[in-house]
Amino acid sequence: MLDRLSLDVAALHATDSALHLGGLVTLEGEPPSRGRLLEHLRARIARIPELAHRLAGRTGRPHWEPDARFDPDRHLYELPGSTDPATVLAELLRQPLPRDRPLWGLWLVHRVGGGYGLCYRAHHAFQDGAAAVATLERLLGPEEAPHPRALSFRPPRPVAWAAVLPELRPPRRVTWWPALDTPPSQAYATTVADVDTARLHALGRLTGATVPQLCLALTTEALRAWHPDVWKPGRPGHGHELRTNLAIGVRDPDDLLPLLGNRVAVAGIGLPCGDPDPRRRLDRVGRALDYTRLARLADAHRVILRRLPYRVGRLALTRSIDARYTPVGVADLRIRRPLGFDGVPASGVYALPVMVPGQPLFVAWVTHRRRLHVTFTTDTALAAADRLPEAWHAALAELERRAEEGEFARGAAVAGARHVLRGELTCGGRPAGGRGPRPPSPGRRPRSAPRPSAGPW
């Protein structure tokens, strides 16, 4: 049903680049020839049978079947590129995926900054974010056979409905955010920010927050700086949140084709932009990104999606992604295997997230090696959106200053005490604090549990 719902949402877009997702890998040096890249592509695709499946069936009953005419050459495209990575990302967002073949492509971008780029993109019905990340790792990661990537949140468990049902209430309509007052153009621009993960790990040691929690907190601060007057006392946004969706994997662990199809549900997270207390904002983000909460939601969505009538599912999805109720999208993505091509390591990895109709902003961050790369994708009708990376960096510096002055020390100590009492680790794998003692924030997960699936690229 999720594949069909993704195709239905895509039909609301005016262009064929609707609901595509992917990632741009940047590399130094001269770009390879098309022949060399095609040779590499053919060798890697032999280990990814999902890429040879095409969309078939009637509009109301789509399914995936092997493509008898499958040829990797039909999926390799080229673009001239630009010295500005943001310009390249915006151009890639507009590239179509023909429906007469499997819904993915690899773009050779001849210039990205001082080097070149390789971009993998797929339709969101064809793959979810976790599957796209795993595909990118197999195409451009080390040649040896990869360890299986956990694409499920965890093995299904009985649903704690009493804890889950309040989470399934429809979100409130947002009437206080100026970005929703501008009619959307449904054309998109991108800006980027980069940071060394060592800074985030150091900040995590002082605050007890994980990297995903810090990124959500920094996004919250950047949104406050984008429209500062809205959140002040006496103004419409004071005390209010901006809702965002984070994808949670609901794929069956025994799926025979684990890189095919959309198998994610969404967890609503409130970005506490209207809370005047910075310590409370960080704490609220940490609690929203609690692993136990997300795992319960994944268990519930697995059951619901098996039993839900299609029309009810479409109505629920329409509400959950409606920009009037959920105006911001986020994705937390981690590349676990070093990417590169022909012995040249990747210098950066930038997400190309899904943009649903009318949504003004999507913030996606990718961790690769020791760098975090953030992509801000915004509707071109929005004013001053190009200042978001600067606001994100300023928020990081301000959070570091407050943490060094001891403002979050009590929260880190409380989180550490809870860690000792409960014997649990943080959500999202390794905590921001890196090695050594781990003072996690309220979002924790057991050591044996897999990392949540990637966000809704």
Side-chain angles (χ1 to χ4, degrees):
M1 182 171 72
L2 286 170
D3 299 343
R4 182 182 174 189
L5 289 172
S6 297
L7 293 167
D8 284 352
V9 174
L12 301 175
H13 261 284
T15 67
D16 187 63
S17 60
L19 261 69
H20 297 173
L21 52 83
L24 171 66
V25 179
T26 59
L27 303 105
E28 300 298 328
E30 294 297 319
S33 66
R34 181 184 179 89
R36 171 67 191 101
L37 186 54
L38 186 59
E39 177 188 7
H40 174 92
L41 192 58
R42 290 185 188 279
R44 294 300 181 95
I45 284 178
R47 299 200 299 247
I48 317 174
E50 292 91 338
L51 296 187
H53 285 70
R54 65 182 295 272
L55 183 65
R58 297 182 292 108
T59 302
R61 291 289 184 270
H63 64 272
W64 306 107
E65 67 178 20
D67 182 8
R69 300 175 55 216
F70 178 68
D71 182 356
D73 189 38
R74 302 177 72 209
H75 295 265
L76 183 55
Y77 308 94
E78 297 182 66
L79 285 175
S82 167
T83 56
D84 179 17
T87 300
V88 173
L89 287 166
E91 179 67 18
L92 286 165
L93 286 172
R94 295 191 289 268
Q95 300 306 304
L97 287 170
R99 295 292 182 97
D100 64 345
R101 64 199 71 174
L103 294 175
W104 66 273
L106 186 69
W107 277 258
L108 170 59
V109 186
H110 286 267
R111 173 169 288 190
V112 182
Y116 70 98
L118 296 172
C119 176
Y120 175 79
R121 295 173 69 243
H123 197 289
H124 199 24
F126 183 78
Q127 287 184 323
D128 54 46
V133 167
T135 301
L136 193 60
E137 290 176 338
R138 296 190 187 187
L139 290 176
L140 298 176
E143 192 169 0
E144 69 270 12
H147 296 293
R149 184 184 181 96
L151 299 182
S152 300
F153 202 100
R154 69 178 185 188
R157 299 182 183 181
V159 179
W161 290 109
V164 169
L165 286 177
E167 299 267 11
L168 304 180
R169 294 171 182 162
R172 294 177 57 191
R173 182 167 179 174
V174 175
T175 59
W176 51 83
W177 195 36
L180 293 176
D181 297 337
T182 304
S185 67
Q186 296 197 19
Y188 302 103
T190 60
T191 50
V192 299
D194 300 275
V195 64
D196 194 317
T197 54
R199 288 181 67 183
L200 299 175
H201 292 157
L203 184 56
R205 286 190 289 271
L206 295 172
T207 63
T210 65
V211 169
Q213 290 165 349
L214 288 175
C215 288
L216 278 178
L218 293 170
T219 299
T220 300
E221 302 304 317
L223 291 173
R224 283 174 55 85
W226 191 15
H227 299 104
D229 294 338
V230 176
W231 315 108
K232 294 178 179 179
R235 300 304 299 270
H238 183 69
H240 287 293
E241 300 178 332
L242 286 179
R243 179 185 167 95
T244 185
N245 283 335
L246 182 73
I248 48 177
V250 295
R251 190 178 296 274
D252 291 332
D254 56 352
D255 194 331
L256 297 178
L257 294 171
L259 302 185
L260 182 63
N262 182 348
R263 300 293 181 270
V264 294
V266 295
I269 293 177
L271 301 179
C273 299
D275 192 322
D277 187 334
R279 290 175 299 179
R280 202 160 52 228
R281 291 197 294 269
L282 181 60
D283 182 68
R284 288 172 63 176
V285 165
R287 294 181 184 280
L289 209 56
D290 176 72
Y291 176 83
T292 302
R293 171 190 177 243
L294 299 180
R296 280 198 301 253
L297 283 171
D299 292 334
H301 281 299
R302 282 194 185 99
V303 174
I304 292 170
L305 289 169
R306 289 193 191 101
R307 302 178 182 178
L308 199 66
Y310 171 75
R311 290 187 178 182
V312 178
R314 180 171 180 175
L315 179 62
L317 177 65
T318 301
R319 170 63 69 90
S320 69
I321 64 173
D322 189 327
R324 295 173 298 177
Y325 302 89
T326 306
V328 181
V330 296
D332 165 38
L333 307 158
R334 180 181 299 183
I335 308 294
R336 297 180 179 178
R337 309 179 72 224
L339 305 184
F341 185 78
D342 268 356
V344 178
S347 57
V349 183
Y350 298 92
L352 288 162
V354 168
M355 294 297 291
V356 299
Q359 189 174 65
L361 172 65
F362 201 114
V363 184
W365 51 88
V366 181
T367 304
H368 179 246
R369 292 185 169 176
R370 294 180 175 85
R371 298 287 292 175
L372 185 94
H373 308 280
V374 190
T375 304
F376 303 87
T377 306
T378 56
D379 192 288
T380 56
L382 297 178
D386 58 337
R387 295 204 294 264
L388 282 169
E390 180 183 353
W392 201 90
H393 278 295
L396 175 57
E398 176 64 13
L399 202 58
E400 288 173 326
R401 182 189 67 79
R402 290 177 178 273
E404 289 168 358
E405 292 176 354
E407 189 166 330
F408 301 101
R410 182 177 180 276
V414 170
R418 288 172 179 167
H419 165 52
V420 171
L421 290 172
R422 297 180 59 179
E424 295 177 338
L425 297 182
T426 58
C427 169
R430 183 179 180 182
R435 297 182 180 178
R438 304 184 185 211
S441 69
R444 288 171 293 271
R445 68 189 184 102
R447 181 181 293 275
S448 60
R451 185 176 189 268
S453 294
W457 261 20

